[in-house]
Amino acid sequence: MKRFLTLILFVIPIYAFSMTLPQLFQSSQASNTTYAIANITLKQASMTYQMNMIQSSVPVINQGGQISAQIAYTSSLQTYQNDIKSYYSNVLNAAFGVKIANINVEIAQMNLNVATMNYASTLALFQKTMASTVSLQQASVTVATDQNNLKNAVWNYNFNLSNFQNVTGSKWQEITFSVPDLSKIPQDMKTWINSDLNLKLANLNLQNAQYNLNTTPSNSSQYTIEMAKMAVQQDLLNQSNALLSSQNNYSSSIQKLEYDYQSVLNAKANLDISTNNLVFYTNEYNSGLISTVNYLSQYKIPYLNAQLSYYNSLETYWNDLVPYIVSIGLKPEVALQ
């Protein structure tokens, strides 16, 4: 006689509609405070920059004032970029947080189901003097532990649902967690370097030091002249270090993305294997060929763990990919759609 497993204790809602992560990036911007603060910072920086450039051009052009305005603006752009990266990171973590918490609830449920059945089996043996008191106590502790784990997993799931709404401004709906093809992501060191705000700031500081040296009066003290020269030398070295750092950061970012991408593909391959095993042994279980405990512990739980590994790998990939996209001057909601 066929048997069908109906042991789920905590039901996760199924949603009729889903959205992609780039769509979520776009829809969350209207209500997210981090995104709003970032754009206020950018607007303030732009207005201040325009005012400073006008003031340094009237009645005559003040090159030093213009360079200082550019330095201040670039520093503000760094703050803006960091805030924008935080925004995307918060949205990603909110979305993956719900998905991963969902899987953890299912794993906790299955573990509790197995522990409960093992306890019932041990109790029956104990009553027939075929199991020791220690075995029964151990089985009881396992049930209590798994009950506590389930309670904690459910709390985490509800917390992540609330966090998702706080971050995105909308209630949870199913998300399509795609795997962006790394080969289609722009990979060019020149673009990275040209977009590097740290390097741009180093270049501007060097320009400013050179301007200060060039405008130092010839009758200044030897001390003042030497200090101006050393400032140029120092900023020249800083520029060189900033360029080297930019090149190294680009290489490290690409290497990390390649590693992440391959890890996702490997995790997906393992998930596919676990899925195929689960389908086969579900049929075996429903035909009465394997026990419930064996079905859950050997096939259902490993399948859920494979899911967990896959989504953890995918979250890491997205969390490294999005900052890279921002760093080369692109918008993830456009570049990754």
Side-chain angles (χ1 to χ4, degrees), residues 5 7-12 98-117 142-143 145-154 157 271 274 278 295-312:
L5 190 63
L7 295 172
I8 299 298
L9 304 177
F10 181 77
V11 178
I12 306 297
V98 175
K99 184 66 177 181
I100 290 172
N102 181 338
I103 298 171
N104 281 325
V105 168
E106 293 188 69
I107 292 173
Q109 289 171 341
M110 294 300 125
N111 283 330
L112 178 57
N113 290 336
V114 171
T116 301
M117 287 182 281
T142 300
V143 170
T145 298
D146 288 337
Q147 285 175 333
N148 192 45
N149 289 340
L150 177 58
K151 181 180 178 180
N152 186 61
V154 171
Y157 175 74
L271 177 57
S274 294
L278 181 63
Y295 171 70
L296 292 179
S297 61
Q298 295 183 26
Y299 306 107
K300 182 66 175 180
I301 293 175
Y303 162 75
L304 292 172
N305 281 325
Q307 262 198 336
L308 187 62
S309 177
Y310 170 70
Y311 283 105
N312 279 325

Side-chain angles (χ1 to χ4, degrees), residues 202-253:
N203 291 335
L204 288 170
N205 285 330
L206 177 59
Q207 289 180 34
N208 190 55
Q210 188 65 57
Y211 172 81
N212 289 335
L213 175 62
N214 294 340
T215 57
T216 299
S218 58
N219 60 350
S220 297
S221 67
Q222 188 66 27
Y223 169 83
T224 300
I225 294 174
E226 287 300 317
M227 288 295 291
K229 288 181 179 179
M230 285 189 289
V232 171
Q233 294 172 351
Q234 185 177 38
D235 283 327
L236 188 60
L237 293 173
N238 287 336
Q239 180 198 48
S240 178
N241 288 337
L243 176 58
L244 179 60
S245 178
S246 183
Q247 293 169 336
N248 288 340
N249 288 340
Y250 172 79
S251 298
S252 297
S253 295

Side-chain angles (χ1 to χ4, degrees), residues 110-137:
M110 294 300 125
N111 283 330
L112 178 57
N113 290 336
V114 171
T116 301
M117 287 182 281
N118 283 336
Y119 175 79
S121 176
T122 304
L123 178 60
L125 292 173
F126 176 79
Q127 290 171 341
K128 296 179 181 180
T129 68
M130 299 176 67
S132 67
T133 302
V134 171
S135 296
L136 184 62
Q137 290 173 338

